[in-house]
Amino acid sequence: MEEKKVAVVGAGLVGSLLAVLLAKKGVNVDVFERRPDLRKAKAIGGRSINLALSNRGFKALELAGFADEIKAIAIPMYGRKMHDVEGNLTYQPYGKEDEAIYSVSRGQLNQKLMNLADDYENIHYRFNHACEDVDLTNNEIHFTDTTTGKLEKYTYDHIFGTDGAFSAVRGALQKTPLFNYAQEYLPHGYKELSFPANPDGTHCFDKNCLHIWPRGEFMLIALPNLDGSFTVTLFFPMKGETSFESLDTEEKVVAFFEKTFPDALANMPTLTKDFFENPTSTLVTIRCNPWNFDNKVLLLGDASHAVVPFYGQGLNAGMEDCTIFFDLLDKYNLEDGSLFDLFSEKRVDDGNAIADLALYNYIEMRDLAGDEDFLLRKKIERKFSDMYPNKWMPLYSQVTFSHIPYSEALAAGNKQRKIMDEVMKMEQIHQNWDDPKVIDKILTLLA
């Protein structure tokens, strides 16, 4: 494959990782990015949600040889800590004792991947190149050089679209026959806020947890950073009586946080500045099928399956795309006319499944995370799983701490949810949850 010349459109996390994996196979890779070189930016932030790296993402990073370098800039979070209005805390572990998801800055991770890619002579970055169109007949990509305004055209053997939820490469595929596409916005958006570090440089809350302030129709979350700060994100209705639209003065914002998130407000000296200076961003789910055009163009990451961030799997799913494609290259090669078809057929159902899981988990996080019935369900599931690990892996663990295909995890989770619905109907379940009859009930229902 040394003679193959390919283009990766989009130098984000998935594009930069894919470029390295292709380069390891000896492919010559040109990476195009509409933005300037992120590594030269004076500041990063303002709209990006901190990322939660887990097993699927780390597997891809291990293939690229970067796992240790990335883990060095990440903070393990072993569970989520829920904050009620009075400031009372409830802790829920994510998995077994040593299992964690890792908080990492999107910008820092992207910079690190770009720097590590510089070790490969067959990777070439072209920044300030905005993709305008793809001529699918000739596999020719049209770019505007945003520094000169000049239109440039490049031809490649294969084109990989990793240019995000509003992918220009996917836009070309959408004009082809039998290409299915759908997008759905949540009525909620998000805004990045922050907790600064304490004066001594420590974190104001437990740094090894993901913190959640669930409030029904909305929620606040906080993920730790290496410098002692937290990146805080408010997920909130875009319009309505209580919404981004209605909080239009500093006084209203402060009054709302005093009433709704008092223990968070105590650690937000720049709340109003952050609230009015940082953009309000939307949350969209994108599905399409197929993810390829012949063996010429292939979509990966958000370009093919953008999901809302509530399972912490957007990045991990995109990186798993890279893993699966890399594994297919061990069995086939880029000249195999069925390669892109095989990848698309293998991944579309999983992309749809993680989209469904992420949408459900938003309801769980904002509505259920502090609910007594929900917490009891999780406690019973955890006990049963500890007793019978071969019979029951909690859905969260299947998604986050395994490599079970998302579609299989979703199906298993639906079965588990029905079983737990029956268990929760047992008489005085809150008082008798530890009774052996509960375990027997689950065993019976499983059988």
Side-chain angles (χ1 to χ4, degrees):
M1 288 190 288
E2 286 78 2
E3 301 303 316
K4 286 289 181 181
K5 189 175 181 183
V6 307
V8 173
V9 182
L13 298 166
V14 173
S16 295
L17 175 62
L18 178 65
V20 171
L21 293 176
L22 290 169
K24 288 173 74 72
K25 293 287 188 181
V27 179
N28 292 305
V29 187
D30 285 349
V31 185
F32 292 88
E33 172 56 49
R34 63 179 173 80
R35 299 168 297 180
D37 190 340
L38 183 67
R39 294 167 294 184
K40 298 176 182 178
K42 293 181 180 179
I44 305 170
R47 63 172 296 147
S48 64
I49 302 169
N50 260 43
L51 302 167
L53 261 174
S54 53
N55 290 34
R56 297 174 197 265
F58 276 115
K59 181 178 180 179
L61 292 170
E62 285 166 6
L63 285 176
F66 295 165
D68 290 340
E69 289 91 336
I70 301 307
K71 193 165 282 191
I73 61 169
I75 298 176
M77 300 180 293
Y78 297 98
R80 54 188 181 189
K81 196 163 280 189
M82 282 74 75
H83 299 238
D84 69 14
V85 177
E86 286 75 38
N88 299 311
L89 303 178
T90 305
Y91 177 74
Q92 183 189 344
Y94 279 131
K96 299 186 183 300
E97 190 172 333
D98 59 339
E99 290 179 326
I101 61 177
Y102 287 77
S103 174
V104 62
S105 158
R106 179 189 298 271
Q108 281 186 304
L109 178 56
N110 209 157
Q111 287 178 325
K112 191 76 171 176
L113 287 173
M114 286 180 177
N115 286 335
L116 294 168
D118 285 343
D119 293 340
Y120 292 84
E121 293 182 355
N122 48 338
I123 298 177
H124 304 281
Y125 277 95
R126 297 177 186 270
F127 296 101
N128 302 299
H129 277 67
C131 180
E132 303 294 347
D133 195 15
V134 180
D135 177 347
L136 297 172
T137 302
N138 300 307
N139 242 30
E140 183 180 79
I141 321 175
H142 303 171
F143 294 96
T144 295
D145 183 331
T146 58
T147 60
T148 65
K150 181 182 176 183
L151 182 67
E152 300 177 1
K153 298 179 181 180
Y154 299 85
T155 302
Y156 290 91
D157 296 302
H158 305 282
I159 298 167
F160 295 90
T162 58
D163 49 339
F166 303 102
S167 165
V169 178
R170 189 190 63 237
L173 270 60
Q174 286 173 225
K175 300 170 187 173
T176 62
L178 303 180
F179 186 89
N180 297 301
Y181 169 78
Q183 70 178 38
E184 180 183 3
Y185 283 93
L186 285 181
H188 296 65
Y190 69 91
K191 187 180 290 286
E192 184 180 292
L193 307 169
S194 65
F195 298 151
N198 291 325
D200 62 358
T202 59
H203 292 79
C204 60
F205 293 111
D206 184 346
K207 74 173 184 178
N208 295 119
C209 292
L210 188 154
H211 294 265
I212 308 175
W213 288 256
R215 298 295 185 265
E217 283 300 307
F218 50 86
M219 69 175 178
L220 195 73
I221 70 168
L223 281 78
N225 297 310
L226 291 173
D227 64 0
S229 68
F230 281 85
T231 297
V232 181
T233 308
L234 174 64
F235 296 99
F236 207 52
M238 295 291 281
K239 297 178 179 296
E241 185 176 342
T242 304
S243 66
F244 284 120
E245 181 182 60
S246 67
L247 296 184
D248 54 3
T249 69
E250 292 187 3
E251 292 75 16
K252 288 180 182 178
V253 171
V254 172
F256 174 75
F257 271 74
E258 283 178 341
K259 177 182 177 182
T260 314
F261 307 117
D263 64 328
L265 178 61
N267 296 281
M268 305 178 81
T270 60
L271 170 62
T272 55
K273 179 177 183 292
D274 293 342
F275 194 93
F276 289 105
E277 290 186 4
N278 290 346
T280 301
S281 302
T282 55
L283 294 161
V284 66
T285 298
I286 287 175
R287 308 172 196 253
C288 65
N289 183 23
W291 291 0
N292 67 300
F293 178 79
D294 295 338
N295 211 48
K296 295 180 176 182
V297 181
L298 183 65
L299 305 173
L300 298 91
D302 284 356
S304 53
H305 55 84
V307 300
V308 293
F310 305 112
Y311 227 115
Q313 286 296 302
L315 167 64
N316 293 287
M319 288 188 163
E320 188 174 63
D321 290 344
C322 297
T323 299
I324 290 172
F325 186 75
F326 188 75
D327 289 345
L328 285 173
L329 279 178
D330 284 339
K331 301 173 185 176
Y332 306 91
N333 60 57
L334 286 171
E335 294 177 354
D336 191 309
S338 63
L339 175 61
F340 285 13
D341 285 335
L342 286 169
F343 176 83
S344 182
E345 290 166 7
K346 187 177 182 66
R347 282 300 275 173
V348 167
D349 286 347
D350 290 330
N352 289 330
I354 192 56
D356 291 337
L357 286 161
L359 288 166
Y360 173 76
N361 216 45
Y362 184 35
I363 298 170
E364 178 175 303
M365 290 175 73
R366 75 180 196 201
D367 293 0
L368 304 177
D371 179 78
E372 288 186 5
D373 282 356
F374 172 80
L375 294 173
L376 179 60
R377 288 172 77 110
K378 295 299 182 184
K379 188 187 293 187
I380 294 170
E381 281 193 67
R382 186 177 179 83
K383 177 185 175 182
F384 186 82
S385 178
D386 288 343
M387 293 176 67
Y388 297 99
N390 294 328
K391 293 181 180 292
W392 191 289
M393 179 186 289
L395 176 59
Y396 188 88
S397 293
Q398 292 184 58
V399 171
T400 308
F401 300 123
S402 86
H403 302 288
I404 296 169
Y406 289 125
S407 53
E408 293 181 20
L410 176 61
N414 288 336
K415 180 180 178 181
Q416 291 176 348
R417 186 173 66 254
K418 292 176 182 177
I419 290 173
M420 288 306 301
D421 286 346
E422 295 301 312
V423 169
M424 293 301 292
K425 293 176 185 176
M426 294 177 70
E427 189 173 347
Q428 294 186 316
I429 186 64
H430 280 271
Q431 291 77 28
N432 301 324
W433 73 270
D434 211 15
D435 192 300
K437 291 180 181 178
V438 175
I439 300 300
D440 292 341
K441 176 81 169 180
I442 298 174
L443 287 168
T444 300
L445 292 168
L446 275 173

